[in-house]
Amino acid sequence: MQKQKKSRITPTILGIETSCDETAVSLVRAKRVGKNYNCQVLWNRVHTQIPIHRKHGGVVPEVAAREHAVRLPVILNELTKDFPLAKLKRQIDAIAVTAGPGLVTSLLVGVEVGRTMAVAWDKPMIATNHLEGHIYANLLSTDNAKRNFTFPVLVLIVSGGHTELVLMKKDLRYQLLGSTRDDAAGEAFDKIAKLLGLPYPGGPVLSKLAATGQASINFPRPMLDQNNFDFSFAGLKTAVLVYLEKHKKYIAANVAASAQAAIVETLVEKTLRAAKQYSPKTVVLAGGVAANTMLRAQLKQRFTETLPKMQVMEPSLTYTTDNAAMIATAGAIRFLNGYQTSWKNVRANPKPELK
Ligand code: KG4
Ligand code: ZN
């Protein structure tokens, strides 16, 4: 994206998110306050397709895209009930759409609707990286509390498709420290849940079951013994499968608790190790798996014990899993830093780098 002059205005950004199986629209107003931002969510809707995909045990890309195409105009129409069209047209400074990563067929719906609106309303656009959205979701509060990053920031991104440790020395700049070599943390939750016969998406269901069990099985902590910031969760899934085949009378809650403990410990200890090496001022949790209660609690506890000066931030639960407020917020930060572009330059890109 071409960088232009920093903007001094207080932009109102329309955000559109259709990267996977949530159709979402939001309106966010952002303001620069010194080195920080004050981001206010004016409107926010998420339509989840989970009940549709549950029948298939996972997201069916074509079904997801068709559902986005049906739902997105309906949600935009709801927006015009609260913000009359003429006012909306005047008020919006730019349209931010998730350009990737995600399922290309799903991304295309949001991107093309966004481009069409940008042409019709003559507005600039921001092609937003979904992971950047998850990171900047941390600036949104549901209780008016101030939320700011103090740089350098270390981010643990944990979603359905990504597990990454990223260092940010300033806004919108990312240095990848490590990532998963196979399955993402959310994928591990989902696949292990499936082995236990739990419905899609497995993460929240498995963690609920885990709360009723004991972490009594010593599953491997993948790559914890290796001196790098990479992750690998495919072996853990296999270890659970082998256990289930060997112990026909297994206690599902104990398997869930033990698998969750292995995933959480690996994520937390690698983050601690990165924090010791890079000395960030803020440690940020981002992505759908950040909704996991145990991950939130352990991350806070381990940092309080070992690196108490570092501020640990988690997104508020409303903005943790996929939503468009995070896309509008990341879009607003980009807009304020001069990154808006023409609809002509916006394309769906299923595998962009965070840069
Ligand atoms: O960020 P997200 O909403 O979508 C992607 O960008 O992928 O993340 C979805 C992932 C799924 O794998 C889901 O199972 C997982 O986040 N997840 C959880 C929890 N809530 C959602 N995993 C563990 N515990 C949870 N409470
Ligand atoms: Zn996501």
Side-chain angles (χ1 to χ4, degrees):
M1 215 181 293
Q2 217 179 351
K3 191 168 175 179
Q4 294 161 19
K5 244 173 66 193
K6 280 188 182 179
S7 170
R8 286 183 208 289
I9 66 161
T10 302
T12 299
I13 308 290
L14 175 75
I16 299 177
E17 155 65 38
T18 64
S19 69
C20 188
D21 59 348
E22 260 88 33
T23 320
V25 174
S26 183
L27 212 54
V28 169
R29 185 185 294 140
K31 190 174 162 187
R32 223 185 252 287
V33 185
K35 282 185 186 168
N36 300 318
Y37 302 97
N38 185 347
C39 303
Q40 198 190 349
V41 180
L42 307 178
W43 200 87
N44 191 38
R45 285 279 192 293
V46 181
H47 169 78
T48 182
Q49 303 176 2
I50 286 174
I52 297 169
H53 298 295
R54 187 165 274 164
K55 290 176 234 155
H56 309 284
V59 180
V60 184
E62 192 188 323
V63 175
R66 282 171 183 267
E67 186 64 12
H68 285 310
V70 171
R71 284 290 156 185
L72 191 50
V74 174
I75 301 177
L76 286 165
N77 189 45
E78 280 172 18
L79 173 65
T80 62
K81 303 239 163 81
D82 295 331
F83 289 82
L85 206 55
K87 186 177 166 203
L88 200 61
K89 218 168 127 180
R90 260 198 324 272
Q91 210 175 350
I92 289 173
D93 293 290
I95 298 170
V97 293
T98 304
L103 300 168
V104 70
T105 43
S106 287
L107 290 166
L108 274 168
V109 179
V111 167
E112 296 313 327
V113 167
R115 275 159 47 96
T116 307
M117 289 176 73
V119 172
W121 287 1
D122 191 22
K123 300 286 179 187
M125 289 190 79
I126 298 125
T128 307
N129 183 300
H130 181 80
L131 302 178
E132 186 168 87
H134 274 303
I135 295 171
Y136 280 95
N138 277 275
L139 299 189
L140 297 174
S141 68
T142 47
D143 54 6
N144 288 329
K146 283 207 171 64
R147 288 174 152 262
N148 294 308
F149 293 159
T150 311
F151 293 99
V153 171
L154 174 69
V155 192
L156 172 66
I157 302 174
V158 273
S159 71
H162 293 81
T163 303
E164 295 181 358
L165 272 166
V166 172
L167 188 69
M168 294 172 71
K169 292 195 179 133
K170 57 184 199 168
D171 272 313
L172 310 172
R173 286 277 173 273
Y174 309 95
Q175 181 190 340
L176 183 66
L177 305 180
S179 59
T180 184
R181 296 193 178 170
D182 41 58
D183 292 352
E187 208 174 344
F189 268 105
D190 294 343
K191 286 182 175 172
I192 292 167
K194 212 170 192 178
L195 293 178
L196 289 170
L198 302 174
Y200 171 84
V205 189
L206 185 129
S207 89
K208 221 174 184 177
L209 179 64
T212 66
Q214 302 289 326
S216 50
I217 310 153
N218 192 20
F219 288 130
R221 270 60 176 154
M223 308 207 31
L224 208 49
D225 53 341
Q226 292 187 25
N227 198 19
N228 57 36
F229 303 116
D230 286 341
F231 302 89
S232 162
F233 291 107
L236 175 62
K237 183 198 68 190
T238 310
V240 172
L241 179 64
V242 169
Y243 181 90
L244 297 182
E245 282 174 349
K246 220 162 138 188
H247 303 82
K248 295 286 180 212
K249 289 188 180 160
Y250 64 82
I251 300 168
N254 290 356
V255 177
S258 307
Q260 176 176 258
I263 297 170
V264 167
E265 190 184 322
T266 309
L267 294 171
V268 171
E269 294 309 315
K270 285 252 163 168
T271 308
L272 263 178
R273 204 177 290 169
K276 280 177 189 158
Q277 183 161 329
Y278 291 96
S279 305
K281 293 220 166 70
T282 315
V283 178
V284 165
L285 189 57
V289 183
N292 186 273
T293 313
M294 192 184 175
L295 176 59
R296 287 178 175 244
Q298 283 232 12
L299 194 70
K300 276 246 151 95
Q301 189 190 327
R302 291 289 288 130
F303 271 86
T304 307
E305 280 166 10
T306 44
L307 298 165
K309 285 193 183 145
M310 287 180 197
Q311 177 205 12
V312 176
M313 272 177 95
E314 303 140 344
S316 27
L317 281 174
T318 312
Y319 304 116
T320 298
T321 47
D322 289 352
N323 65 86
M326 68 184 199
I327 301 304
T329 302
I333 308 299
R334 284 220 167 245
F335 186 91
L336 283 165
N337 286 283
Y339 283 96
Q340 61 272 31
T341 187
S342 157
W343 59 271
K344 291 177 190 153
N345 303 323
V346 178
R347 292 279 180 282
N349 179 1
K351 287 195 172 161
E353 270 183 56
L354 191 59
K355 63 173 194 275

